[in-house]
Amino acid sequence: MKTILVAGGAGYIGSHMVAELHDKGYDVVVADNLCTGHRGAVTHGTLCVGDVRDGEFLDRVFTEHKIDGVINFAAFSLVGESCTDPLKYYGNNVAGAVSMLGAMRRHGVDKIVFSSTAATYGEPEKQPIDELDRTCPTNPYGETKLAIEKMLHWCDAAYGIKFAALRYFNAAGANNAAGIGEDHSPESHLIPIVLQVALGKREHIGIFGDDYPTRDGTCIRDYVDVRDLASAHLLALEFLDREKTSGVFNLGSGNGFSVREIIEAARKVTGHPIPAKVAPRRAGDPSTLIASNRRAVEILGWKPRHSGLDDIIGSAWNWHQSHPDGYAE
Ligand code: NAD
Ligand code: UDP
């Protein structure tokens, strides 16, 4: 496999994928409309600016480049916004995936790695969560990702397009050697917000609820390094190529940390006090999400190498210090 089309490759996780593919000797073509991505995040390959919902745009990309496989990151991913504007999420996420699969069919490309999410599980029945556990999303964002997973299943059955649906838990960290990191606007994720407080760009971090049934009352999440996510996608592509079968895989470190534990770890890594205030719960937050990553480890041969909490916060902190205004575009 030589040339990989990375849809959404100008975004946070996609840009780390592009760097990983380049490092491993692949040619990369990025398709991105830059709605939340950054031109400056695309460090290698060819950037084609356009919308994946536009079939003619995709036809040009697939005609101009001989694409061997697709990795699709292109989506909207703000849980709260998906609750107030679900059609925006179905319209981009589901329609974008329909359009991409149609283009793959037209151009004879039969392998896709898809960005799914722990939000497909909703409120889990047990911890750690494995891939056979009930999927019952509590918000439209998770519903769109689950709908796409089901569509991928039927497209495999009908057209033989093999897929790996990767359910990420909480992506964090940065690739400082490549000069890329997390720059969402607005930023909603815990670790970058905590580091913005350390940088003096925010006065305090609001803790969304301290009355959850957890060890300190704050929500527990599984934070996984963005470079480890990228390496898993490459293994998933190789798996599709080798095994010619589809699969669903959790991508998490297997460890859970509470909001208070993240703030405390960030205080140690940064040496800043990071004031925190308890705020109301955020709608739709499950109390605990921890991945079982056994399938990815055993079947894909994945080894998360950078997902220790201090490593994740340390690499994110380096990025925030060197890029206090993100990509400043
Ligand atoms: P991001 O917003 O940084 O990246 C998404 C990229 O897709 C952006 O570059 C954006 O411009 C592009 N895009 C969106 N719609 C498009 C369209 N119609 N046509 C072309 N390009 C389009 O998001 P991210 O944090 O890097 O997340 C990447 C993927 O991973 C998303 O699908 C998201 O749902 C999923 N995910 C992220 C996390 C996380 O913790 N960040 C967790 C689970 C799943
Ligand atoms: N969180 C918080 N304050 C913030 C942002 C997030 O307390 O300013 C909490 C949030 O409620 C969740 C955890 O931190 O329990 C991780 O949130 P994030 O948005 O990073 O990821 P999510 O788990 O929602 O995908």
Side-chain angles (χ1 to χ4, degrees), residues 29-94:
V29 177
V30 172
D32 200 301
N33 65 1
L34 302 176
C35 64
T36 59
H38 308 273
R39 214 174 261 281
V42 182
T43 50
H44 299 284
T46 307
L47 170 61
C48 304
V49 177
D51 196 304
V52 297
R53 290 167 293 184
D54 176 350
E56 288 177 9
F57 163 67
L58 287 184
D59 282 339
R60 285 197 298 280
V61 172
F62 279 93
T63 305
E64 282 167 23
H65 306 273
K66 203 207 144 305
I67 302 297
D68 298 292
V70 172
I71 308 182
N72 188 15
F73 295 96
F76 293 140
S77 54
L78 296 173
V79 168
E81 186 186 53
S82 81
C83 295
T84 54
D85 196 356
L87 288 179
K88 178 174 175 181
Y89 279 69
Y90 282 88
N92 196 35
N93 300 2
V94 179

Side-chain angles (χ1 to χ4, degrees), residues 14-219:
S15 61
H16 288 75
M17 187 72 240
V18 170
E20 171 80 8
L21 286 165
H22 173 80
D23 284 353
K24 296 284 152 57
Y26 287 79
D27 290 332
V28 186
V29 177
V30 172
D32 200 301
N33 65 1
L34 302 176
C35 64
T36 59
H38 308 273
R39 214 174 261 281
V42 182
T43 50
H44 299 284
T46 307
L47 170 61
C48 304
V49 177
D51 196 304
V52 297
R53 290 167 293 184
D54 176 350
E56 288 177 9
F57 163 67
L58 287 184
D59 282 339
R60 285 197 298 280
V61 172
F62 279 93
T63 305
E64 282 167 23
H65 306 273
K66 203 207 144 305
I67 302 297
D68 298 292
V70 172
I71 308 182
N72 188 15
F73 295 96
F76 293 140
S77 54
L78 296 173
V79 168
E81 186 186 53
S82 81
C83 295
T84 54
D85 196 356
L87 288 179
K88 178 174 175 181
Y89 279 69
Y90 282 88
N92 196 35
N93 300 2
V94 179
V98 171
S99 171
M100 178 59 79
L101 287 161
M104 289 173 64
R105 256 194 98 194
R106 290 195 294 282
H107 297 272
V109 177
D110 62 359
K111 285 178 272 297
I112 181 166
V113 180
F114 169 66
S115 300
S116 191
T117 167
T120 53
Y121 293 110
E123 189 68 60
E125 292 169 299
K126 65 163 182 54
Q127 305 290 339
I129 307 166
D130 70 56
E131 292 83 348
L132 295 178
D133 286 347
R134 183 187 63 183
T135 47
C136 189
T138 50
N139 54 65
Y141 165 64
E143 289 283 8
T144 63
K145 294 287 183 171
L146 189 58
I148 296 166
E149 285 193 8
K150 290 181 180 174
M151 178 166 66
L152 288 166
H153 165 79
W154 293 112
C155 288
D156 178 357
Y159 318 127
I161 295 176
K162 300 299 168 199
F163 71 88
L166 305 183
R167 293 178 178 161
Y168 322 151
F169 282 63
N170 290 62
N175 181 341
N176 288 288
I180 53 179
E182 186 164 12
D183 178 8
H184 288 124
S185 183
E187 189 51 77
S188 65
H189 295 115
L190 178 65
I191 289 178
I193 292 178
V194 165
L195 296 177
Q196 287 171 353
V197 179
L199 269 184
K201 295 180 73 88
R202 293 178 190 249
E203 285 189 357
H204 69 272
I205 174 76
I207 297 173
F208 297 153
D210 68 348
D211 56 352
Y212 285 95
T214 60
R215 49 187 176 256
D216 63 16
T218 67
C219 289

